[in-house]
Amino acid sequence: MEAMPWPEPAPEVARAVRAKNYGRQVPLSVAVRDRLGELFPDAEFTEAFAATGPAGWSPGRLALITVFQMAENLTDRQAAEAVRDKLSWMYALGLGLEDTGFDFTVLSQFRARVVEHGLEEKALDLLLARMTEQGLLAAGGKQRTDSTHVISAVRDLNRLELAGESVRAAVEALTVAAPHWIAVVLDVPGWSRRYDTRIDTWRMPASRTKRDQLALTYGRDGFALLGAVFDPGSPHWLRELPAVQTLRIVLLQNYTRTTDRNGREQVKRREKQDEGGDGLPPGHLRIASPYDLDTRWSAKRDLFWNGYKLHVTETCTSKAEDQRTAPNLITDVATTASTVPDVKALDPIHQRQRHRGVLPGEHYLDSGYASADAILTARKRGVALLTPVLLDRSRQARERLGFDAANFTIDWKYQQVTCPMGQASSSWSPCLQHGKPMTVVKFTRTTCGPCPAREQCTTGKSGYRQLTLHPKAMTDTLRTARAEQAGHDWRCDYALRSGVEGTIRQAVAVTDSRRARYRGLAKTHLEHVYSAVALNLIRLHAWWHARPLDRTRTSHLARLELTLAA
């Protein structure tokens, strides 16, 4: 690939586009070319392409085609047809009427190269840089973030189906890679009856006993297949096949294999420890499909899904501010495994925003992103987090009867805590809990026993009060945040966060962001990045033509909150 500037729109295409849209608002693709010109230069993608070999399609224009594909929610075939058929796309790409376009598989190859060379964020980086040059974006200001679930592009499998399908996938891969070897080591007719079709396409036995027997059959077959692959006489390269490696992990996570006193091999399914089993691996490590090793099962309230989690961050302005100076633009999208807590996604979001020069001054988040550590880390970067921190969940705080931790006075210098009745603590013990520094403070039984307020302070069998404290900075931050969020002014300011739900709705309605198009975390993230670029261009298109964009969806709770604030 040689980096070349995009050609200007062909005169005959330009005339046809102008004639068809005379007196009307021009299509998105035409407005993007007129307003932004060569948005994605080929030079930005040179590292993903060789300097020699057959000439390929312009990667910058393929990136723009992918953005238009997301904006119109098209398949690869439909996008390739649009390049040949739609005048507006020809205008944006600088193609003539005689251009025959490309085969639709080029889009898949382009995505693979982009992911392989870590250029997934390039399109969003270039668009945000252009918006910064035009004065529509800057560091500081207000931004808001929310997350939503993403369903993976593979079938949902239970543990029984997962075991059987993993064996079948390994058999299929080995049959293609070494058919003569398979014919020697396996009883092909017998295995073909069990693994000829996908496991999830036929009905499982209704009896639990028969399902358990089938699960053991899958386990024994899997171990037998691995034994043949790892036999010293087998080709060594068979072990490196991805399907074989996946089968090894699935068997390890779902089965145990032991030898009894008579030397016979015993294969058993793993079950939960509380059910008397050998235990299952934690959810964030457990493979859910042999065809997508990154997807994970997760649950949130009444939602249970197999896939990923999408975090969307956008700029925002309050009603009191002038919203005509710039549209709300998405400044970051993060795609994580579904088991990753929201709070762990916040710091990488800020790192990427700082790299792009769009780090906010105020960041509105829900309670899933809140922690004292996150507030302190963001503050060091100059970002103020407006997020409701979790309240004290002690009995005294929940029932609002008695003395919770906020009623105790802490003297960090002299390492002493004074209770509401004026008694001082007897011990101050720094320790580690779950790998984090904490301090355990105790009062003596002789101090708490005769205290007239003992029932309001503690009902524990030990007879004395004990507190567990975070480090000073975190404790002070939590106490300050809890006091602030109880105020009316804070609740009025925080109502601004609810608008990001409208952005999630727009992403789902326009680009179907809750259903992954591709397999794997990297390609799913690429889809989300290009979807974000598409949404930004749609918003810019509406803003350029002073046309309101119907994208807001305010929850009933947020509407009630705004009503009470008014």
Side-chain angles (χ1 to χ4, degrees):
M1 190 276 296
E2 295 183 9
M4 300 287 290
W6 294 11
E8 291 297 319
E12 63 275 14
V13 174
R15 284 194 300 270
V17 168
R18 300 305 177 195
K20 282 180 171 292
N21 295 282
Y22 180 75
R24 299 166 51 189
Q25 179 178 300
V26 298
L28 170 66
S29 50
V30 175
V32 168
R33 183 59 192 260
D34 288 342
R35 297 271 186 166
L36 302 177
E38 186 179 351
L39 181 57
F40 306 129
D42 290 347
E44 297 290 342
F45 298 89
T46 52
E47 62 186 274
F49 296 85
T52 59
W57 241 74
S58 160
R61 286 191 278 182
L62 287 174
L64 187 60
I65 292 169
T66 305
V67 172
F68 292 158
Q69 177 186 8
M70 299 299 171
E72 300 186 22
N73 199 16
L74 304 177
T75 64
D76 286 355
R77 288 181 183 270
Q78 292 171 331
E81 288 293 331
V83 172
R84 288 188 289 269
D85 296 343
K86 298 188 71 169
L87 288 174
S88 59
W89 284 37
M90 293 180 187
Y91 181 91
L93 299 169
L95 302 179
L97 292 175
E98 72 285 353
D99 196 290
T100 58
F102 53 82
D103 187 78
F104 72 95
T105 57
V106 171
L107 289 172
S108 176
Q109 296 167 7
F110 168 72
R111 292 192 297 268
R113 282 184 177 270
V114 168
V115 168
E116 182 182 352
H117 291 82
L119 299 176
E120 301 96 326
E121 304 274 348
K122 180 63 70 174
L124 184 59
D125 290 344
L126 292 172
L127 177 61
L128 295 181
R130 184 70 65 86
M131 294 300 99
T132 302
E133 292 174 4
Q134 296 185 1
L136 299 181
L137 275 179
K142 300 177 180 180
Q143 297 188 32
R144 54 196 177 194
T145 299
D146 198 9
S147 65
T148 188
H149 67 279
V150 178
I151 300 173
S152 64
V154 293
R155 289 178 179 267
D156 293 342
L157 303 174
N158 57 38
R159 289 182 58 207
L160 174 58
E161 294 169 335
L162 172 64
E165 191 61 30
S166 298
V167 176
R168 196 190 78 87
V171 171
E172 287 288 308
L174 289 168
T175 301
V176 172
H180 300 293
W181 178 85
I182 279 285
V184 172
V185 302
L186 293 185
D187 173 23
V188 175
W191 282 63
S192 179
R193 285 193 296 270
R194 285 195 296 273
Y195 303 108
D196 183 48
T197 60
R198 293 178 64 101
I199 302 300
D200 56 351
T201 59
W202 51 274
R203 188 183 298 275
M204 288 289 165
S207 166
R208 175 162 184 170
T209 301
K210 291 184 178 179
R211 290 198 302 270
D212 290 343
Q213 292 175 351
L214 185 59
L216 293 179
T217 299
Y218 288 152
R220 295 189 187 103
D221 286 351
F223 284 119
L225 184 61
L226 290 181
V229 170
F230 283 84
D231 186 90
S234 299
H236 188 274
W237 56 269
L238 293 178
R239 310 174 188 180
E240 307 302 323
L241 292 176
V244 173
Q245 295 297 325
T246 300
L247 177 61
R248 290 184 60 201
I249 299 174
V250 169
L251 292 178
L252 176 64
Q253 293 182 346
N254 291 276
Y255 293 90
T256 61
R257 183 169 60 165
T258 58
T259 304
D260 61 15
R261 64 180 62 184
N262 296 322
R264 292 177 299 184
E265 183 179 88
Q266 300 291 328
V267 176
K268 292 174 54 180
R269 292 186 77 188
R270 288 185 180 271
E271 300 295 345
K272 297 179 180 179
Q273 287 184 337
D274 55 8
E275 297 178 359
D278 297 290
L280 293 168
H284 70 278
L285 297 177
R286 200 179 309 164
I287 289 179
S289 171
Y291 305 112
D292 187 345
L293 303 185
D294 298 323
T295 185
R296 295 290 183 269
W297 285 102
S298 187
K300 185 176 182 180
R301 293 188 287 273
D302 59 344
L303 178 65
F304 189 55
W305 81 98
N306 177 26
Y308 306 97
K309 193 182 289 186
L310 168 65
H311 305 261
V312 179
T313 304
E314 67 168 354
T315 59
C316 58
T317 53
S318 62
K319 289 185 177 180
E321 299 171 347
D322 185 6
Q323 300 185 31
R324 293 173 298 177
T325 57
N328 292 341
L329 296 174
I330 297 174
T331 60
D332 187 80
V333 285
T335 310
T336 67
S338 60
T339 54
V340 175
D342 289 352
V343 67
K344 291 190 176 182
L346 183 59
D347 189 58
I349 289 174
H350 285 164
Q351 291 180 18
R352 289 189 296 270
Q353 289 180 318
R354 183 172 60 178
H355 173 71
R356 293 170 178 147
V358 294
L359 193 66
E362 296 180 3
H363 200 168
Y364 294 77
L365 308 148
D366 64 25
S367 59
Y369 296 90
S371 73
D373 188 40
I375 294 174
L376 290 173
T377 302
R379 188 178 296 166
K380 293 177 182 177
R381 292 196 173 103
V383 181
L385 299 187
L386 274 78
T387 173
V389 298
L390 297 179
L391 300 176
D392 187 351
R393 302 308 299 168
S394 65
R395 176 187 62 83
Q396 297 89 341
R398 290 197 313 270
E399 299 176 359
R400 297 186 179 182
L401 297 173
F403 306 130
D404 59 18
N407 297 122
F408 289 74
T409 303
I410 306 173
D411 188 333
W412 296 95
K413 181 178 180 181
Y414 294 102
Q415 299 185 346
Q416 194 172 67
V417 175
T418 303
C419 76
M421 302 302 293
Q423 299 295 327
S425 60
S426 61
S427 67
W428 178 285
S429 306
C431 63
L432 288 176
Q433 293 186 2
H434 304 291
K436 297 181 179 180
M438 305 290 283
T439 299
V440 176
V441 177
K442 294 182 180 180
F443 292 80
T444 62
R445 187 177 288 105
T446 56
T447 299
C448 297
C451 179
R454 180 175 177 273
E455 293 298 324
Q456 295 176 276
C457 189
T458 181
T459 57
K461 294 181 180 180
S462 61
Y464 59 86
R465 183 64 183 267
Q466 175 178 307
L467 299 176
T468 302
L469 305 176
H470 293 279
K472 181 180 185 305
M474 297 178 66
T475 300
D476 293 344
T477 298
L478 282 174
R479 290 191 172 188
T480 302
R482 287 168 179 164
E484 288 178 349
Q485 70 190 44
H488 176 75
D489 292 341
W490 187 93
R491 291 198 297 270
C492 291
D493 291 340
Y494 183 67
L496 184 61
R497 187 213 69 87
S498 63
V500 73
E501 297 177 9
T503 299
I504 297 293
R505 175 194 174 277
Q506 185 191 23
V508 173
V510 175
T511 66
D512 199 16
S513 293
R514 283 200 179 120
R515 289 191 175 273
R517 287 171 172 254
Y518 317 120
R519 298 176 185 176
L521 181 62
K523 285 193 175 181
T524 302
H525 178 56
L526 178 142
E527 174 195 348
H528 292 154
V529 169
Y530 279 81
S531 296
V533 175
L535 295 178
N536 279 344
L537 293 180
I538 291 172
R539 294 181 175 190
L540 286 166
H541 186 224
W543 182 74
W544 287 331
H545 297 87
R547 178 170 58 87
L549 189 63
D550 181 17
R551 48 161 293 278
T552 58
R553 182 186 71 84
T554 306
S555 65
H556 296 293
L557 182 61
R559 284 200 293 269
L560 176 61
E561 189 173 19
L562 290 171
T563 302
L564 295 175

